Amino acid sequence: MSLSMLLPGALALAALIALPILAHIARQRPRERVPFGAMLLLRRVVKRLRRRRRVKDPLLLLLRIAFLMLLVFAATGLRFSYDGGAPEFGGTGKVVVLFDRSMSMSMMHGGSTVLSRTRGEARELIDSLPPGTQVGLIAFDDEATALTSGLVTDHAQVRSRIGVIEPSLGGSNLRAALIEARRMLEGEPGEILLFSDEAGPRMVSEASDELRRVIDQGSAVLSKRPEAVPRNVAVTAARYGDGIEGGTVELLVSNFGDQPIEVPCEVRLPDGQVVPIFADLPPEGESLERVTVPRQAEGGVGEAWCDDPDLPADDARYFHLPQVGASRVLVVDGDPGETPIRSEVYFVERALAPWGAGRSGVTPDVVTPLGLLDLDPQTHQVVFLANVGDPRPFAAKLAEFVQKGGSLVISAGSNVSAERYNSALSGLLPAPLRRAEDLAGRGEPGVALLTPDPSLELFEPFARSGRTAFSEVASRRVVLLEPYSEGSQARTLLRYEGGIPALVEREVGKGRVMLWTSTFDYDWSNLPTQAVFMPMIQRIVAYLGGQSSGAGARFEADVGRPVAIELPDLAIDPQVFGPDSQPVPSRIEGTKLIFTPSRPGAYELRVDASPPLAWVAANLDPTESDVRVYETVMEAEARIAPERFLRHVDLSPWLLGGALLLALMIALLALRGRAT
Amino acid sequence: MSSAAPSYDPAVLARVQRLHLKARILTEALLQGDHRSRRVGQAIEFAGYHEYLPGHDLRHLDWRVWGRSDKLVVKTFETETELPVTVVLDLSADLATGAPAVTGLRRLKRLVTGEGTQPSASLPDLDKSKAGFALSLAATLLYYFYLRREPIGLELIAGEGRPIRSIPPRSGRGHLQALLLTLAQARPGGEARLHEALVAVGERSRRRSLVLVLSDGMEEPETWLPAVAAFGRRRTDLRFIHLYDRREWGLELDQAARLYSPETGEEIAVDPAAARTALREVATEYAEEVRRGVTSWGGLYVKGPINEGLEPLVRKVIRGAPASPGGDPFGGEAKG
């Protein structure tokens, strides 16, 4: 409530107040002088009248001042302003309906969703609009979408389009909706009707600037908020961390309702294990729950879920879980180069952990041959022996390792000597080595690999696609093997054109030995630059009992927001698969793969049928789960432009009436007698 | 004090004649049908006891006392053969006012001539001002008691040049003439200082005398009313004739004026329309206050409006008819 003046300059007339004051100060004295013999009585009269005058004269003065003040204020156009609620509506003939379809609008209330109830209210409003009113319809969540082509007078069309609005899993981007509304109004004033729960701490605050522009444009935003009591339980955070057994999954369960509640929750691990818990939630509070992960668990994306019938859409939250209890890969570099890229195992290491050891499921430990002295089967399950010159000092250690279930991958190279290998590793090699032989001259492409047999367990993941990429791999030089017969002793997994063995496997004790007759670097082969290199290496590791599905890199994403994943410097062409294992549209921009998750869950980045290169845990924006109202649009509008919400009462007629009344009172007092 | 000076102003002498004539006419009218004893107060009154001594008249022995106390005492009596009458006349300056209402042509005339705007410095008009009325009343009362062969005296309070003048009661025509001459020469002036004056008169007055006080009483009553007690203690019959002008108390002016007191010079600007009602209220309360005070101290209060003429007032004074409580000074006596 406030008072304001249309003509404040008229306040200068307040100087007129001095007139009655002067009149009271300067009284006219009668001129005639008359003798009087009863002065005693007159003194008593004066005394008595003075007592009355103490009341009457100040009263008269006040009345005269008040009379003038009322006139002055009437001249200034004094008006009384008070908060009158919503501003006037419907004056422009242009109405834009903003319909919130964010996730919170799917909250259940009275057996139906808030959105469906709001749809009914919006339809009623459309029906109540006078014919000829131009109406536009915009639905918004994270983005705003115009459902009418500008402003239309066909109310039935608007009505029908309201009926097809369905709740999404996105947030409430009111700012985008207001921008679209302004565009629809083409800079003209209009009424913007907002149908939204106005839930969340950011919805209105982030739209303040745009709200100001709308108001400056002469438009008014009126909100129609459903009367549903905000109530929602959501898992607002979940993550894996260290702890006893296989570690701990922490989930933060939030209660956005005003009543305490106990809800059943579950933590679902990637390998299908389910750990049930109950969460006690205080009103408008949260609870941090901890779930212990078993000693052995497959890596991937897990799910933390709590039952909430009010708003099921945000009941689950997805988190990354590394391979629990997994072995590490020991890479023995037999030919360390002067630079990293010249190193024998540079590409193997990159193929095993494309995004670095910290973010991948595989942690390759690169050592020199001396590192084999500390080989521990409890720590490592797979050993890559890359171009190691003399394996004899470690032969017994390697044999014991393989016998106990470890796996050994041997690659050839310039340091490999057939004599030393045959003598030291005869119990491990699928076949004795003969010599290295050139298959092509320098500058020639070399001999290509044949397409692998998908019936072999190693190449099962490539059954649907990707096998042809193997034929892009060519070697110019290989180590030849002594003739061997196919069986458990030696099984050829890959051959070059012409039948030269490329990859040969042998089972030894509980473990396996795999021999790659060429190199893992550029010396003898183009393998490191081929798309199949990384999936093949990872598949070999998985096949040999090391990391498999949990080996991929891990990324977080918000539903509805694009995810950009920097691809490793390998020639790969990955594809994104959604929670339902169906491909998800993606694109590559430069070195980044970009896609937008449309729903929460686990997204995989795979090359052909290889194990996932990366996992993406997509979740809803937890702030959208907060269905409480922080500041309504009307409140924000009143804050931005309080004058729009004020009602004004012109006080001038009342002031003039009051002045007239005072004038009568003054005259009455004057008539009742002027004092001595 | 009582003897007249050999060379009197003819105007004064004419005034004496006029006073005498006025008093005689009025008094004779009053005495018509009056058959009372010519000796006022002729009675035997108990005065006290004395021890009996041989030679005392045995008729005066008080046998009852002898029967009760075995003592022989004789009662002594005072025989009153005359009642000294003293007229106490207040001639303070305020008595000079009290002119008739000024309206219309008279007001125009007064504006031109200045008449009435200042109290007259000459002898007061016996028919107009309160002072003139008081002089006529005093003369009439003195003459009346002279005819009754009572000793008469005069006490002038204030008056121009004479703060107080006392002429003790005596009998005789010559004394009457002296009193009338004094009245004829008197002019209002100065302040009355009623308390001092009444105390002095009370001390001078004889026991069992009649004192008639003619005054407007225009001093705060609580300052002078206690002086009335002095008369009561001397068993003096005090009658207070309260002189006032109803027009004056009614503030019969037609426009605002500065009213001033000739006695004190005090001046107050007054709008008659605004103050008239209040003045009437105040005057009524004041008259009642004086009446109650005089009565409570043993005196007799008589309203003395100068607007009703002398005769009814003289009758009230002589009869000793007290004013009724709550009487309206602007009308007759209050009923009941």
Side-chain angles (χ1 to χ4, degrees):
Chain A
M1 289 185 289
S2 63
L3 289 170
S4 59
M5 297 171 187
L6 293 175
L7 296 170
L11 270 182
L13 295 173
L16 292 173
I17 292 168
L19 294 179
I21 296 173
L22 289 174
H24 276 250
I25 291 171
R27 285 211 168 154
Q28 191 179 8
R29 285 180 65 80
R31 282 183 298 179
E32 191 175 5
R33 198 162 180 268
V34 177
F36 189 71
M39 198 55 77
L40 172 71
L41 303 185
L42 209 52
R43 276 201 301 273
R44 290 187 174 191
V45 168
V46 169
K47 200 172 173 183
R48 178 169 297 189
L49 290 178
R50 190 173 291 150
R51 278 204 301 272
R52 291 179 192 169
R53 202 167 58 192
R54 272 193 206 115
V55 178
K56 193 175 78 174
D57 277 4
L59 179 65
L60 191 62
L61 178 62
L62 284 176
L63 287 176
R64 285 170 177 167
I65 290 173
F67 169 74
L68 280 172
M69 287 302 292
L70 289 181
L71 286 182
V72 168
F73 281 126
T76 60
L78 190 68
R79 60 182 191 170
F80 174 67
S81 305
Y82 64 95
D83 186 359
E88 295 295 334
F89 167 70
T92 63
K94 294 179 179 176
V95 176
V96 177
V97 176
L98 303 183
F99 206 104
D100 182 0
R101 62 177 176 190
S102 63
M103 189 263 289
S104 61
M105 292 292 282
S106 58
M107 188 175 78
M108 300 298 291
H109 178 65
S112 60
T113 64
V114 170
L115 186 135
S116 64
R117 295 165 73 93
T118 306
R119 264 200 305 249
E121 291 174 358
R123 283 200 201 101
E124 284 177 17
L125 178 108
I126 297 299
D127 292 343
S128 68
L129 290 176
T133 304
Q134 293 180 287
V135 185
L137 178 63
I138 296 168
F140 69 98
D141 45 18
D142 286 320
E143 296 172 349
T145 308
L147 299 184
T148 56
S149 53
L151 298 174
V152 297
T153 53
D154 183 0
H155 295 180
Q157 178 195 351
V158 178
R159 205 174 182 284
S160 67
R161 297 205 173 160
I162 288 173
V164 299
I165 297 174
E166 291 295 337
S168 73
L169 295 173
S172 303
N173 191 344
L174 177 61
R175 183 173 176 275
L178 291 174
I179 290 172
E180 184 63 24
R182 282 206 303 126
R183 188 195 62 74
M184 205 173 261
L185 288 170
E186 298 175 336
E188 296 293 321
E191 275 77 41
I192 298 174
L193 271 177
L194 172 66
F195 288 90
S196 169
D197 56 3
E198 300 179 51
R202 296 199 312 251
M203 175 184 172
V204 177
S205 61
E206 288 180 349
S208 286
D209 288 347
E210 196 55 37
L211 197 57
R212 188 184 299 277
R213 289 189 193 96
V214 167
I215 291 166
D216 291 344
Q217 182 180 295
S219 300
V221 180
L222 300 166
S223 69
K224 184 73 177 169
R225 201 155 55 82
E227 295 185 357
V229 178
R231 202 171 55 231
N232 183 29
V233 171
V235 182
T236 49
R239 70 177 186 87
Y240 169 78
D242 293 335
I244 58 171
E245 299 289 330
T248 303
V249 173
E250 289 183 341
L251 55 154
L252 186 66
V253 187
S254 301
N255 176 18
F256 298 106
D258 58 359
Q259 297 294 321
I261 189 170
E262 184 187 42
V263 292
C265 299
E266 289 179 356
V267 174
R268 298 162 183 163
L269 302 180
D271 56 9
Q273 296 184 74
V274 175
V275 184
I277 56 168
F278 277 90
D280 277 321
L281 301 170
E284 297 195 35
E286 54 194 20
S287 173
L288 183 65
E289 305 292 336
R290 290 184 176 84
V291 173
T292 301
V293 177
R295 283 177 179 275
Q296 292 290 331
E298 193 175 314
V301 174
E303 177 186 5
W305 171 88
C306 286
D307 185 25
D308 170 32
D310 294 317
L311 185 53
D314 61 352
D315 288 354
R317 190 155 190 90
Y318 297 88
F319 61 95
H320 288 290
L321 183 71
Q323 183 79 18
V324 177
S327 63
R328 302 165 78 100
V329 173
L330 185 67
V331 181
V332 184
D333 189 354
D335 185 18
E338 296 170 354
T339 61
I341 200 167
R342 300 281 298 173
S343 170
E344 184 73 28
V345 300
Y346 174 81
F347 295 103
V348 174
E349 190 184 352
R350 293 296 174 278
L352 290 171
W355 287 277
R359 297 176 60 195
S360 297
V362 172
T363 304
D365 296 328
V366 179
V367 295
T368 62
L370 289 175
L372 283 171
L373 295 172
D374 298 324
L375 179 61
D376 180 5
Q378 297 295 320
T379 306
H380 299 104
Q381 277 198 322
V382 180
V383 173
F384 270 76
L385 209 61
N387 197 18
V388 174
D390 187 0
R392 287 175 297 185
F394 329 107
K397 198 88 176 178
L398 288 171
E400 182 188 358
F401 170 72
V402 176
Q403 286 290 339
K404 288 183 175 176
S407 295
L408 178 65
V409 179
I410 302 169
S411 66
S414 56
N415 293 338
V416 174
S417 160
E419 292 77 19
R420 287 196 288 268
Y421 268 69
N422 289 337
S423 64
L425 301 176
S426 59
L428 297 176
L429 288 170
L433 307 183
R434 288 174 69 181
R435 65 178 187 282
E437 187 171 311
D438 290 330
L439 301 180
R442 281 212 174 266
E444 293 179 359
V447 179
L449 283 176
L450 294 173
T451 305
D453 179 3
S455 64
L456 294 173
E457 184 186 354
L458 176 65
F459 298 109
E460 270 181 2
F462 301 95
R464 283 191 301 178
S465 64
R467 285 189 300 131
T468 55
F470 282 84
S471 59
E472 300 295 322
V473 178
S475 292
R476 297 182 305 276
R477 187 178 171 85
V478 296
V479 171
L480 299 177
L481 303 179
E482 293 291 342
Y484 60 90
S485 57
E486 293 288 332
S488 62
Q489 182 75 17
R491 191 164 52 141
T492 308
L493 301 175
L494 270 176
R495 288 180 187 276
Y496 291 104
E497 290 174 352
I500 301 169
L503 185 66
V504 186
E505 176 195 32
R506 177 186 176 182
E507 292 182 4
V508 180
K510 293 180 180 178
R512 287 175 179 170
V513 177
M514 204 172 273
L515 174 65
W516 173 250
T517 59
S518 187
T519 60
F520 283 140
D521 63 3
Y522 288 121
D523 281 354
W524 293 1
S525 160
N526 69 351
L527 177 62
T529 59
Q530 299 309 305
V532 77
F533 176 60
M534 187 172 67
M536 188 183 84
I537 294 295
Q538 292 212 353
R539 178 57 191 153
I540 287 172
V541 171
Y543 175 74
L544 294 176
Q547 297 291 352
S548 59
S549 59
R554 299 166 190 285
F555 297 94
E556 303 282 352
D558 289 331
V559 171
R561 295 186 181 170
V563 186
I565 297 174
E566 184 78 30
L567 294 173
D569 52 351
L570 298 170
I572 55 173
D573 184 17
Q575 196 170 9
V576 180
F577 294 87
D580 53 358
S581 301
Q582 294 301 309
V584 172
S586 65
R587 65 183 189 279
I588 291 179
E589 291 181 4
T591 59
K592 290 181 179 173
L593 180 141
I594 298 171
F595 76 99
T596 303
S598 59
R599 48 180 286 200
Y603 289 76
E604 298 175 10
L605 207 68
R606 289 205 299 256
V607 175
D608 297 324
S610 68
L613 297 175
W615 288 101
V616 177
N619 285 295
L620 296 170
D621 182 357
T623 57
E624 189 58 23
S625 297
D626 188 351
V627 293
R628 293 171 297 183
V629 178
Y630 287 79
E631 183 185 27
T632 66
V633 169
M634 302 286 274
E635 287 167 350
E637 212 171 356
R639 175 170 50 77
I640 293 167
E643 69 281 358
R644 299 287 297 273
F645 289 78
L646 292 179
R647 295 282 173 277
H648 304 289
V649 177
D650 185 7
L651 296 180
S652 298
W654 296 94
L655 293 170
L656 287 173
L660 185 64
L661 191 65
L662 286 180
L664 287 173
M665 291 172 68
I666 290 167
L668 197 64
L669 275 178
L671 280 176
R672 286 197 61 181
R674 286 155 291 170
T676 56
Chain B
M1 299 285 290
S2 62
S3 60
S7 58
Y8 284 115
D9 183 353
V12 173
L13 291 177
R15 191 174 173 82
V16 171
Q17 288 289 327
R18 195 173 165 203
L19 272 175
H20 193 169
L21 181 62
K22 197 171 184 176
R24 187 165 65 85
I25 292 170
L26 189 59
T27 304
E28 284 175 353
L30 288 172
L31 288 176
Q32 277 184 354
D34 188 353
H35 301 292
R36 291 177 62 185
S37 167
R38 57 184 289 272
R39 303 292 297 178
V40 177
Q42 187 174 33
I44 296 173
E45 229 174 77
F46 174 72
Y49 289 101
H50 292 289
E51 190 179 355
Y52 172 78
L53 295 172
H56 277 141
D57 191 345
L58 286 177
R59 288 180 301 175
H60 293 158
L61 266 174
D62 191 329
W63 298 106
R64 290 182 183 173
V65 173
W66 178 76
R68 286 199 300 268
S69 62
D70 220 13
K71 288 182 180 176
L72 287 173
V73 294
V74 291
K75 290 188 280 186
T76 59
F77 295 89
E78 283 185 356
T79 303
E80 275 199 1
T81 56
E82 55 186 16
L83 179 67
V85 176
T86 302
V87 172
V88 181
L89 178 58
D90 176 4
L91 273 179
S92 58
D94 280 349
L95 270 292
T97 65
V102 180
T103 53
L105 288 174
R106 292 195 65 162
R107 180 168 171 270
L108 182 61
K109 177 187 170 190
R110 202 174 66 182
L111 285 173
V112 173
T113 62
E115 178 198 343
T117 57
Q118 297 291 326
S120 173
S122 59
L123 295 171
D125 188 331
L126 297 178
D127 295 327
K128 291 178 180 173
S129 66
K130 284 180 287 187
F133 183 85
L135 289 169
S136 300
L137 178 60
T140 304
L141 291 171
L142 289 170
Y143 190 77
Y144 173 82
F145 287 108
Y146 161 76
L147 290 182
R148 288 293 189 112
R149 305 286 177 88
E150 305 294 354
I152 50 176
L154 180 64
E155 298 275 355
L156 285 179
I157 301 174
E160 193 173 272
R162 299 184 180 188
I164 188 160
R165 182 173 181 181
S166 177
I167 303 174
R170 285 186 192 167
S171 300
R173 185 170 181 82
H175 186 63
L176 173 65
Q177 289 298 324
L179 294 179
L180 292 178
L181 181 60
T182 301
L183 291 175
Q185 291 175 312
R187 292 187 182 89
E191 294 182 48
R193 291 177 186 160
L194 282 173
H195 182 264
E196 292 174 30
L198 290 177
V199 168
V201 171
E203 288 172 352
R204 282 198 291 271
S205 66
R206 296 184 196 170
R207 290 175 61 86
R208 296 195 53 78
S209 63
L210 177 63
V211 175
L212 307 171
V213 179
L214 282 57
S215 171
D216 62 354
M218 277 299 147
E219 290 177 13
E220 287 297 343
E222 72 267 16
T223 63
W224 59 269
L225 278 173
V228 175
F231 296 95
R233 282 195 296 272
R234 299 179 72 86
R235 309 184 72 179
T236 301
D237 183 1
L238 174 80
R239 298 178 186 184
F240 184 86
I241 297 94
H242 195 178
L243 299 173
Y244 61 93
D245 180 358
R246 279 179 178 157
R247 292 194 199 92
E248 196 171 54
W249 283 15
L251 211 56
E252 291 186 5
L253 300 171
D254 56 354
Q255 68 170 23
R258 285 182 290 151
L259 304 185
Y260 72 96
S261 165
E263 189 170 323
T264 63
E266 183 183 4
E267 181 178 291
I268 296 174
V270 172
D271 182 342
R276 186 172 290 129
T277 305
L279 183 60
R280 287 179 70 99
E281 292 170 2
V282 165
T284 304
E285 291 166 8
Y286 162 74
E288 174 61 17
E289 186 181 353
V290 173
R291 186 201 67 76
R292 210 166 40 239
V294 169
T295 308
S296 67
W297 291 109
L300 180 76
Y301 175 83
V302 180
K303 284 195 298 183
I306 67 170
N307 317 86
E308 290 183 350
L310 274 174
E311 183 183 341
L313 181 57
V314 172
R315 283 184 188 279
K316 282 194 285 185
V317 173
I318 292 169
R319 286 207 315 267
S324 304
D328 179 8
F330 295 92
E333 296 297 322
K335 303 289 181 192

